[in-house]
């Protein structure tokens, strides 16, 4: 009812809210919930949009149009539902150009760099948020979430290394869970870099229907980057029968780029698979070398960048810095609050020296129990969330 959004800090960690959240946030409430969940890690405020838009130069607008031409207007995998942004004289199209120009101006003045396919992230936000509210949300996604490691123009050595780390961890995950599919794709000359970066940079908007991608956004904001890799695994699991039957690389790539239209994947089978195969989470956290217990919504933070919670990150830093506090965000993004405590890995979380990041199944399952949610409650398109006061939809 009416208690969730007015009492967000109290209610967002409750069992009931988290289960309703898993079921998908109604469209009318996404503007409020997404703004609160993403927050404003750079403390720029919604007023920053007007400021950076007024500072935007002709070059910023040209760069915005170039990126939109490449990533949306002329992209073969742009979602068809987004013709509302590409149609002539579309108000949403104008808002998208302005948001991109303001973000590029912000980047030029020291703000976060726009990741690959950032325009698709902008379109999703603009479907539910006013452009001024979308600006600090997008700045936070680029600054504090894993998107920062898929940079387009201003790549850093660290960003490239972490992108490679993710591909390596994903390879381990798929070799364990879907070895036949991974071998088949390899035989076709397809590696993970052919499709995973696009899936990740757009939160699957480039391959799944808009309503399914929006629910993935909901759950990503609830559970963090680990949920993204759960979707990768289950999406490939659902596509396996189709992909294994193909013998030509171009046709297999088409299925990977169009998982919905060519692979038949939609919201219901995807989330059923996520629930049915929830036991895979324990092994996945091991493949990504995660320190346990994972920060969760219940524990006061969500890890939006698994690199910062990885054993390997501590090894690279000499174990001297607490990386988790930078990306395991508290729910209000209130940086006056102390960061979540650094948890030492529980005893016996490793097996042996040759498999240093393999988690003991019992320990890992205990640690991730709060991540897995049954689907036993009524769907949230009942009046559970709808009666909550929210900002009007665009």
């Amino acid at each position: 009812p009416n208690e969730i959004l007015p009492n967000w800090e109290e209610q967002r960690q409750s069992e009931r809210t988290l289960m309703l959240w898993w079921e998908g946030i109604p469209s009318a409430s996404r503007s409020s919930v997404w703004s609160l969940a993403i927050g404003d890690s750079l403390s720029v405020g919604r007023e920053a949009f007007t400021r950076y838009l007024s500072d935007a130069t002709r070059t910023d607008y040209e760069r915005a149009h170039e990126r939109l031409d490449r990533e949306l207007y002329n992209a073969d995998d742009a979602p068809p539902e987004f013709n509302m942004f590409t149609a002539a004289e579309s108000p949403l199209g104008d808002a998208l150009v302005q948001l991109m120009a303001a973000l590029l101006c912000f980047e030029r003045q020291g703000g976060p760099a726009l990741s690959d396919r950032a325009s698709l992230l902008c379109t999703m936000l603009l479907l539910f948020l006013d452009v001024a509210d979308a600006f600090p949300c997008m700045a936070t996604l680029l600054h504090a979430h894993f998107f920062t490691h898929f940079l387009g123009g201003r790549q850093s050595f660290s960003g490239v290394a972490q992108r490679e780390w993710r591909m390596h961890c994903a390879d381990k995950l798929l070799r364990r869970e879907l070895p036949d599919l991974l071998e088949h794709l390899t035989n076709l000359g397809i590696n993970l870099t052919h499709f995973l970066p696009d899936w990740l940079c757009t939160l699957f908007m480039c391959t799944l229907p808009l309503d399914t991608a929006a629910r993935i956004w909901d759950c990503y904001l609830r559970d963090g980057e680990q949920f993204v890799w759960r979707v990768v695994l289950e999406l490939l699991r659902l596509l396996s029968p189709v992909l294994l039957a193909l013998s030509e690389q171009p046709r297999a790539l088409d299925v990977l780029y169009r998982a919905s239209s060519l692979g038949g994947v939609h919201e219901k089978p995807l989330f059923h698979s996520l629930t049915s195969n929830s036991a895979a989470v324990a092994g996945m956290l091991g493949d990504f070398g995660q320190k346990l217990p994972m920060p969760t919504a219940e524990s006061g933070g969500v890890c939006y960048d698994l690199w910062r919670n990885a054993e390997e990150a501590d090894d690279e830093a000499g174990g001297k810095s607490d990386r988790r506090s930078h990306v395991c965000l508290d729910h209000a993004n209130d940086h006056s609050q102390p960061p979540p405590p650094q948890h030492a890995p529980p005893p016996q979380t490793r097996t042996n020296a040759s498999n240093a990041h393999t988690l003991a199944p019992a320990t890992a399952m205990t640690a991730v129990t709060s991540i897995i949610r049954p689907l036993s409650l009524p769907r949230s398109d009942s009046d559970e969330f709808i009666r909550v006061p929210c900002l009007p939809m665009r």
Side-chain angles (χ1 to χ4, degrees):
N2 297 332
E3 77 273 9
I4 295 178
L5 288 180
N7 301 291
W8 177 251
E9 292 312 306
E10 266 180 55
Q11 294 297 322
R12 97 157 259 170
Q13 294 176 246
S14 72
E15 185 79 9
R16 176 169 167 270
T17 298
L18 291 172
M19 293 188 74
L20 289 170
W21 198 339
W22 171 268
E23 290 286 337
I25 301 167
S27 297
S29 296
R30 280 198 173 111
S31 58
S32 296
V33 176
W34 284 11
S35 293
L36 289 166
I38 297 172
D40 182 4
S41 66
L42 293 172
S43 301
V44 295
R46 71 189 309 273
E47 300 80 10
F49 168 71
T50 303
R51 184 168 67 254
Y52 285 107
L53 184 64
S54 64
D55 288 346
T57 64
R58 178 176 178 178
T59 301
D60 293 324
Y61 275 95
E62 289 175 350
R63 290 178 62 202
H65 280 289
E66 287 172 2
R67 291 197 60 148
L68 290 170
D69 285 341
R70 182 176 69 252
E71 299 176 357
L72 186 63
Y73 300 153
N74 299 317
D76 292 336
D77 58 355
E81 301 98 328
F82 283 4
N83 56 11
M84 65 188 81
F85 290 96
T86 59
E89 300 182 0
S90 164
L92 280 176
D94 293 340
L96 177 58
V97 171
Q98 291 177 349
L99 179 57
M100 289 288 291
L103 288 167
L104 287 165
C105 175
F106 187 30
E107 175 186 341
R108 180 168 49 79
Q109 297 183 19
L114 271 68
S115 59
D116 292 336
R117 311 298 296 275
S119 60
L120 264 69
L121 301 181
C122 290
T123 56
M124 180 64 92
L125 290 174
L126 289 174
L127 288 174
F128 302 103
L129 277 70
D130 180 87
V131 63
D133 292 319
F135 182 87
C137 288
M138 191 64 196
T140 296
L141 291 176
L142 295 171
H143 167 252
H145 293 231
F146 74 91
F147 301 105
T148 190
H149 304 310
F150 291 91
L151 302 180
R154 203 169 66 190
Q155 282 196 349
S156 64
F157 175 79
S158 174
V160 172
Q162 292 176 39
R163 177 168 171 158
E164 292 177 353
W165 172 79
R166 282 175 169 82
M167 295 300 103
H168 175 67
C169 293
D171 183 78
K172 289 196 296 182
L173 170 65
L174 297 177
R175 285 187 187 281
R176 183 173 49 78
E177 288 286 336
L178 300 171
D180 292 343
L181 176 62
L182 189 60
E183 181 181 3
H184 180 67
L185 292 178
T186 301
N187 291 337
L188 293 179
I190 298 174
N191 61 55
L192 300 182
T193 60
H194 282 127
F195 62 94
L196 273 188
D198 276 345
W199 283 12
L200 298 173
C201 287
T202 65
L203 283 180
F204 307 94
M205 293 167 60
C206 64
T207 193
L208 291 173
L210 181 59
D211 55 348
T212 307
R215 187 174 173 192
I216 289 172
W217 274 63
D218 293 339
C219 294
Y220 165 69
L221 294 176
R222 195 195 83 144
D223 292 342
E225 189 187 347
Q226 62 86 19
F227 179 76
V228 173
W229 292 103
R230 290 183 64 193
V231 175
V232 167
L233 177 59
E234 300 312 320
L235 183 51
L236 287 173
R237 198 189 304 275
L238 292 173
L239 291 175
S240 288
V242 177
L243 291 169
L244 289 171
L246 299 175
S247 58
E248 298 176 2
Q249 184 197 70
R251 294 186 63 193
L253 287 173
D254 283 344
V255 171
L256 291 166
Y257 296 151
R258 298 174 177 83
S260 174
S261 58
L262 298 181
V265 178
H266 297 278
E267 179 180 345
K268 187 173 181 179
L270 176 60
F271 276 82
H272 176 75
S273 188
L274 284 163
T275 306
S276 301
N277 297 296
S278 59
V281 175
M284 180 196 74
L285 296 180
D287 295 326
F288 282 80
Q290 293 298 288
K291 294 177 286 187
L292 299 181
M294 283 287 292
T296 64
E298 293 93 330
S299 66
V302 180
C303 188
Y304 292 113
D305 186 343
L306 292 182
W307 166 257
R308 301 298 180 93
N309 190 59
E311 300 280 358
E312 186 169 337
D314 270 359
D315 293 342
E316 184 178 286
K320 296 180 180 179
S321 63
D322 179 5
R323 292 166 174 263
R324 288 156 57 111
S325 63
H326 296 289
V327 290
C328 302
L329 302 178
D330 64 90
H331 300 318
N333 287 280
D334 179 1
H335 298 284
S336 66
Q337 298 297 320
Q342 178 74 35
H343 298 288
Q348 300 182 9
T349 57
R350 299 180 177 87
T351 53
N352 54 53
S354 64
N355 194 14
H357 295 309
T358 300
L359 306 176
T363 304
M365 282 308 298
T366 300
V368 301
T369 298
S370 60
I371 295 175
I372 314 303
R373 294 290 161 201
L375 303 181
S376 56
L377 284 186
R379 284 191 56 80
S380 59
D381 52 11
S382 67
D383 60 355
E384 291 293 329
F385 262 95
I386 294 176
R387 290 203 303 266
V388 178
C390 62
L391 300 176
M393 194 177 171
R394 285 184 59 86

